[in-house]
Amino acid sequence: MAQNKQIKVYVFLTAVFMVLGIIMIFIPDKEVEKEVSPHVVIKIYNHGNAYYTTDQVAKLIMDGNPILQLVDVRSEEEFSKFSLKNAINIPLEELIDKDKKGNYVWRDYLKPEKKITVFYSNGDMTAAKAWTLATRLRFENIFILDGGLNNWIETIIKPVEPQATTATPEDYNVYQFRKAASMYFGGATANVAPTSVKSTVKKTVVKKKKDVEEEGGC
Amino acid sequence: MEERKDYAPFEMKHFYGVVVFLLIILIGMLSYNSNAPHYVKNPSESLVHIIDSAGLLHATQMAEILYLEDSLYQIVDLRKPKFFLNNHIEGSINIPIGRILDKEFLHVLNQEEKITILIGSRSSESVIAYMMLADEGYANIRVVAFSVDFVMSNIVEKYAPLSGRYDEERTVYDYARVISETGGSTISSETVKSNAKKIAPVKKKKKAEEEEGGC
Amino acid sequence: MRKLNIIFLLFFAGVFVFSSCNSIAHKKEIQVGQNNLQNEAEALVGFIEKSSDFINTKAVPTLISASDVNENAGNYLILDIRKNADYVNGHIDGAMNTPASEVLRFLEENECAASFEKVVIACYSGQTAGYVTSALRLLGYGNVYALKYGMSSWNKKTADHWLNNISNKYAGQLELKGNPKNTKSDLPILNTGEKTTYDVLYNRASVVIKEGLTPAKIKADELFENPNKYYVVNYWALEQYAIGHVPGAVQYQPKKSFGTKTYLKTLPTDKPIVVYCYTGQHAAFVTSYLRIIGYDAKVLLYGANSFMHTKMKSEAKLGHAFNSSIIMNYDLTEGEEPSNKVVVKAAATESAPKKAAPVKKKKKKVEEEGGC
């Protein structure tokens, strides 16, 4: 009788350990799975580790720093019209495509050793979408170009001279750098005045004299 | 013998109970890991969802919601409190993006009574928060492609939702042209007629004779 | 056996309890826009008044002078809405040609329109442009302007429309006594079937732009033939109204009168309304607004200039008589192309872009003509 019970206990314990074993196989598998939790994604973003400014990127390009890898996440059509120097094109739609073996096709580009990958689009929304997905899938060292190409044009290609009254010496340093960058990327003539074409549109539209002038047309 | 007989089954029960209890605790601890991913959408579903621009509100819709003070909507401002205190949309709630997934805001963000509009200092901020909430299964979340500053200047202070950067993802510049303009003659290659020429094909279709005088 | 059952039961219960506390409670999605608007016109006017109340502000009419355009042409997007033949004969350098009815579509399709400081709409006289501009402003295009006096103010060669339409023909038929406004009634009835107020606005504005000025204009001859057929709105200050006005005309204070709290509802819904001002441009803005919210309104072309031009010049209190000093002598560009100026263009891309293709390489051509 007692022996019988002892056997029963062993059987029971074996069953328990088997169950545990199965669970152990199951759970770590989930953890190692290629996804990062939402909390972590948000944490990465919130600690300011998500953006590269246009100035930073311009400097890396001008230095010819091989650490930088630019990824254009817009459509192929937009990419072919204009792209940043040495950028590669991975449209957002294709970002998480997998090959036959189930590996991400862009894996080699997005998980490089010691590279900084900067996503860019026209604004930064599409780049942010790509960033979120990539971060979730544990691709590392991925960043968003702050403000995208629109901002690139405004800051690097057509920099605005700081206002004499409010500017700090730092602003002038930034401006000097941007002027040099503008030369490098577009070959700007030295006097890119803030009044020159389309670059300052947004600000002027908001603040300028506006509607007053021509009233009373009738 | 009789005593032991009574005692033994009791001991066994006890033993089973303890083991099972420990097992449950163990499993619970293993599976209860707040950092474990629990997305309701897998990456492909999430991608399809955002490529369709699901949940994206247009600037004119935002204008209507604000002007008509539509109580069906609540606006959540994702910026840091110091920016929020400086200037914010009337009636908006401040939940900094870092705390968006906190339990204490769950009932605010995941509800059936109100639709939540996420807006931040730029469109990337709101879309990241949006993707995380939507992929986690929060209901009734919307996102916008412009910043709080845009709303203040083009919807609240004056009515011009379709001017300026109302969709940050739109091409505001013809990049190649701007570069070439700044380029001047230094990188010259070919001569092309200037300016507005490139603005899209305009239909030159002749309007059926418009009466003179109209304009 | 029974013990085993209990064990399994506990086991599953435990797993269930712990796993369930991790997921977000499922909530139902709210369905938006199911209810049709009760009264479209009320909702529409309410929205417009809350948004900008454009027509009752000092900003209107948003006209821009030829000299301003001439100085800042590089910063402005100029849309020439005249007939193509006239455009080819001579236009402002850089202006794009598009029919008035297509202006809205043009702005929607050319994203970069937002990057220009101002969008200037140029027509023959300033009236059609004003009419379209008003509709665009109501839609939310805050940077759209109409070229004042149209191309007539640009160059003598394109000034025919104004020069041929000024007259003093009916100056002798003017009435001096004041006429009372109608009593207030309801707004017109709109039936667009749209679900949101902005959609109603969009629907109405696109219809108004599409139709153009044709159903919304009247000439002095037609008006003076039978003024009683119309409810005539004199859009002048009282002082000028007293000098003489179209027989039967009712005075409405400019920039103030057409709100629901002021006199909008005194306009009749069963009779065509004619709005007139000095040049027809301000009236075009108002007419556009009134038509959008459902009134059968018309603008008197060339305003008072078309029937009392000489009197306008002689009366010190009446301004805005068209005269030759308005006509500038700015350059005209001939031909189909917006501009004849030749600039040097750099390569379209900074460097040959390479598409990193994991699988196959698709062929692509570099397009020289950019989006904007």
Side-chain angles (χ1 to χ4, degrees):
Chain A
M1 190 72 178
Q3 214 171 17
N4 211 1
K5 260 176 198 159
Q6 234 167 15
I7 290 166
K8 237 181 171 178
V9 170
Y10 284 132
V11 169
F12 175 68
L13 283 177
T14 319
V16 166
F17 282 120
M18 274 177 73
V19 168
L20 272 179
I22 291 164
I23 290 165
M24 292 303 247
I25 294 166
F26 191 60
I27 286 174
D29 190 53
K30 247 193 162 173
E31 255 176 23
V32 179
E33 224 208 296
K34 307 114 205 166
E35 296 196 26
V36 174
S37 87
H39 292 84
V40 177
V41 173
I42 291 290
K43 210 180 271 174
I44 295 172
Y45 175 83
N46 197 40
H47 287 173
N49 296 333
Y51 293 103
Y52 253 66
T53 65
T54 50
D55 292 325
Q56 286 171 312
V57 169
K59 185 150 195 336
L60 288 172
I61 298 178
M62 287 160 75
D63 292 350
N65 199 328
I67 201 173
L68 177 73
Q69 170 176 274
L70 284 165
V71 175
D72 191 322
V73 297
R74 302 172 305 159
S75 69
E76 211 173 309
E77 192 199 340
E78 284 177 290
F79 176 73
S80 65
K81 278 185 194 160
F82 175 76
S83 64
L84 295 181
K85 197 175 179 180
N86 293 335
I88 57 169
N89 182 215
I90 306 179
L92 175 63
E93 287 82 354
E94 297 170 20
L95 184 69
I96 56 168
D97 284 359
K98 288 181 177 174
D99 60 18
K100 280 171 198 153
K101 285 176 202 157
N103 295 320
Y104 293 107
V105 290
W106 300 107
R107 194 186 169 78
D108 294 341
Y109 289 94
L110 297 178
K111 272 201 174 169
E113 292 290 307
K114 291 175 186 167
K115 276 232 179 202
I116 292 167
T117 303
V118 177
F119 284 168
Y120 73 84
S121 55
N122 292 329
D124 51 17
M125 197 175 206
T126 308
K129 289 174 180 176
W131 179 89
T132 313
L133 268 178
T135 306
R136 173 175 167 179
L137 296 172
R138 282 189 190 278
F139 294 125
E140 279 165 10
N141 290 326
I142 307 243
F143 300 89
I144 302 165
L145 177 62
D146 196 354
L149 288 177
N150 289 332
N151 193 34
W152 176 267
I153 299 286
E154 280 158 27
T155 54
I156 303 299
I157 305 300
K158 299 202 155 231
V160 179
E161 198 174 354
Q163 294 289 314
T165 47
T166 55
T168 63
E170 224 171 274
D171 292 338
Y172 279 103
N173 288 340
V174 171
Y175 179 63
Q176 289 305 326
F177 166 76
R178 287 178 176 175
K179 259 182 24 184
S182 179
M183 296 269 233
Y184 178 87
F185 290 106
T189 42
N191 54 346
V192 181
T195 47
S196 75
V197 220
K198 287 98 208 169
S199 70
T200 52
V201 167
K202 238 110 293 109
K203 289 128 209 166
T204 37
V205 159
V206 179
K207 270 166 196 160
K208 241 182 176 176
K209 46 199 169 160
K210 288 249 55 172
D211 306 337
V212 203
E213 43 193 324
E214 280 303 323
E215 80 181 55
C218 194
Chain B
M1 201 54 185
E2 289 232 344
E3 270 180 317
R4 283 188 82 176
K5 230 182 191 177
D6 283 348
Y7 188 66
F10 177 70
E11 197 185 43
M12 281 310 290
K13 252 190 217 166
H14 203 71
F15 175 74
Y16 285 141
V18 167
V19 170
V20 169
F21 183 71
L22 286 176
L23 197 65
I24 290 171
I25 297 288
L26 193 67
I27 291 164
M29 280 173 67
L30 281 172
S31 62
Y32 185 75
N33 169 6
S34 67
N35 281 340
H38 33 259
Y39 295 98
V40 298
K41 289 191 179 74
N42 68 34
S44 322
E45 287 165 347
S46 175
L47 183 64
V48 170
H49 184 74
I50 49 164
I51 285 175
D52 289 351
S53 293
L56 190 69
L57 283 187
H58 198 256
T60 54
Q61 290 171 299
M62 187 71 173
E64 181 166 350
I65 289 164
L66 289 175
Y67 294 140
L68 303 184
E69 290 160 26
D70 196 333
S71 59
L72 182 62
Y73 295 85
Q74 61 176 359
I75 297 164
V76 169
D77 192 326
L78 300 165
R79 298 173 305 162
K80 297 208 162 67
K82 68 172 178 187
F83 296 112
F84 180 81
L85 290 173
N86 185 30
N87 196 7
H88 62 89
I89 302 163
E90 205 185 315
S92 60
I93 312 164
N94 185 216
I95 304 180
I97 187 166
R99 304 185 59 199
I100 199 82
L101 293 168
D102 286 7
K103 286 242 154 56
E104 66 172 297
F105 299 122
L106 181 61
H107 70 282
V108 179
L109 296 168
N110 184 36
Q111 55 163 299
E112 289 175 2
E113 287 74 35
K114 284 193 181 223
I115 295 175
T116 303
I117 302 172
L118 300 174
I119 186 164
S121 58
R122 42 196 154 183
S123 61
S124 50
E125 190 168 88
S126 47
V127 81
I128 288 167
Y130 172 77
M131 282 176 74
M132 287 301 108
L133 295 184
D135 292 356
E136 272 227 323
Y138 284 59
N140 298 313
I141 308 285
R142 301 287 188 276
V143 63
V144 293
F146 42 82
S147 64
V148 176
D149 290 344
F150 173 84
V151 173
M152 297 314 292
S153 63
N154 280 31
I155 296 180
V156 175
E157 283 158 20
K158 69 167 194 244
Y159 173 72
L162 294 177
S163 306
R165 200 170 289 178
Y166 60 91
D167 182 345
E168 294 185 356
E169 205 43 61
R170 293 185 131 211
T171 332
V172 176
Y173 304 96
D174 173 3
Y175 303 121
R177 192 179 94 211
V178 174
I179 302 278
S180 70
E181 277 173 359
T182 11
S185 53
T186 46
I187 328 176
S188 78
S189 53
E190 63 196 289
T191 53
V192 184
K193 277 176 195 151
S194 96
N195 205 1
K197 182 192 169 192
K198 278 159 275 155
I199 303 188
V202 184
K203 265 214 233 135
K204 275 167 204 143
K205 214 176 13 172
K206 253 163 217 154
K207 285 295 286 178
E209 29 66 69
E210 251 173 58
E211 276 179 60
E212 49 74 58
C215 165
Chain C
M1 230 21 220
R2 221 191 61 202
K3 274 178 206 152
L4 215 63
N5 281 346
I6 292 168
I7 288 163
F8 274 114
L9 207 68
L10 282 169
F11 176 75
F12 284 119
V15 170
F16 179 75
V17 166
F18 280 107
S19 59
S20 66
C21 66
N22 231 354
S23 63
I24 308 292
H26 180 74
K27 302 274 182 178
K28 258 188 246 144
E29 289 288 332
I30 299 171
Q31 298 298 314
V32 193
Q34 293 303 302
N35 311 329
N36 280 354
L37 298 165
Q38 292 300 314
N39 183 334
E40 289 186 10
E42 286 282 355
L44 178 56
V45 174
F47 174 76
I48 290 173
E49 291 188 349
K50 277 208 172 122
S51 62
S52 61
D53 203 9
F54 174 65
I55 215 67
N56 296 311
T57 59
K58 284 203 165 158
V60 73
T62 51
L63 296 167
I64 190 166
S65 68
S67 60
D68 186 345
V69 174
N70 190 46
E71 275 166 34
N72 301 300
N75 291 349
Y76 300 166
L77 171 65
I78 304 162
L79 297 178
D80 192 324
I81 57 174
R82 297 172 305 157
K83 277 177 252 176
N84 189 247
D86 294 314
Y87 173 81
V88 172
N89 269 339
H91 57 257
I92 302 170
D93 192 67
M96 312 282 303
N97 188 213
T98 181
S101 57
E102 298 292 323
V103 169
L104 178 58
R105 197 182 58 90
F106 183 93
L107 290 177
E108 283 170 351
E109 288 176 5
N110 291 283
E111 313 182 329
C112 52
S115 78
F116 290 87
E117 188 181 330
K118 289 177 183 175
V119 177
V120 178
I121 300 182
C123 63
Y124 296 100
S125 70
Q127 296 170 101
T128 305
Y131 189 72
V132 172
T133 300
S134 182
L136 292 174
R137 284 274 178 161
L138 291 171
L139 282 175
Y141 290 93
N143 58 346
V144 181
Y145 294 79
L147 178 61
K148 195 173 180 182
Y149 297 111
M151 290 301 287
S152 299
S153 65
W154 192 260
N155 189 302
K156 202 156 194 314
K157 283 186 199 154
T158 52
D160 288 353
H161 278 79
W162 262 101
L163 294 175
N164 295 343
N165 280 291
I166 44 184
S167 103
N168 204 39
K169 205 170 166 185
Y170 300 102
Q173 295 185 26
L174 298 182
E175 187 184 61
L176 292 173
K177 77 169 175 67
N179 297 303
K181 295 181 177 74
N182 270 3
T183 51
K184 289 197 178 186
S185 57
D186 287 334
L187 290 173
I189 292 162
L190 286 179
N191 276 314
T192 63
E194 300 287 355
K195 289 179 177 106
T196 70
T197 317
Y198 189 84
D199 288 343
V200 175
L201 172 62
Y202 185 83
N203 180 313
R204 289 299 306 156
S206 29
V207 167
V208 162
I209 291 173
K210 202 104 216 153
E211 286 176 352
L213 202 58
T214 312
K217 67 185 179 189
I218 185 168
K219 292 196 127 191
D221 289 341
E222 207 181 334
L223 176 64
F224 278 90
E225 209 171 275
N226 188 4
N228 294 331
K229 222 173 110 185
Y230 307 98
Y231 185 82
V232 183
V233 171
N234 171 294
Y235 208 49
W236 289 355
L238 202 53
E239 202 184 1
Q240 282 84 30
Y241 176 75
I243 293 170
H245 51 83
V246 176
V250 185
Q251 188 264 344
Y252 283 81
Q253 189 68 25
K255 307 183 182 193
K256 283 185 181 146
S257 299
F258 293 126
T260 41
K261 291 207 178 76
T262 51
Y263 301 107
L264 177 65
K265 288 185 174 181
T266 61
L267 295 175
T269 52
D270 55 353
K271 202 175 178 183
I273 300 160
V274 172
V275 184
Y276 85 93
C277 61
Y278 296 109
T279 68
Q281 298 176 96
H282 198 174
F285 276 83
V286 174
T287 305
S288 178
Y289 170 68
L290 294 179
R291 289 191 80 85
I292 284 173
I293 58 178
Y295 287 101
D296 181 14
K298 292 174 194 299
V299 49
L300 177 64
L301 290 178
Y302 302 95
N305 276 291
S306 70
F307 62 87
M308 52 182 287
H309 182 247
T310 318
K311 191 175 169 65
M312 283 170 82
K313 281 201 283 194
S314 60
E315 289 280 349
K317 281 178 187 164
L318 296 177
H320 305 285
F322 192 82
N323 59 64
S324 56
S325 72
I326 289 168
I327 304 169
M328 297 300 177
N329 189 25
Y330 296 137
D331 294 342
L332 286 169
T333 302
E334 289 177 13
E336 285 279 352
E337 296 298 336
S339 177
N340 286 334
K341 284 185 192 156
V342 172
V343 297
V344 179
K345 191 173 180 298
T349 45
E350 290 187 0
S351 62
K354 55 174 190 281
K355 156 106 177 154
V359 200
K360 64 192 172 222
K361 202 155 193 150
K362 271 182 232 159
K363 201 181 77 182
K364 64 175 174 291
K365 47 183 180 287
V366 176
E367 280 176 44
E368 288 292 316
E369 308 288 281
C372 201

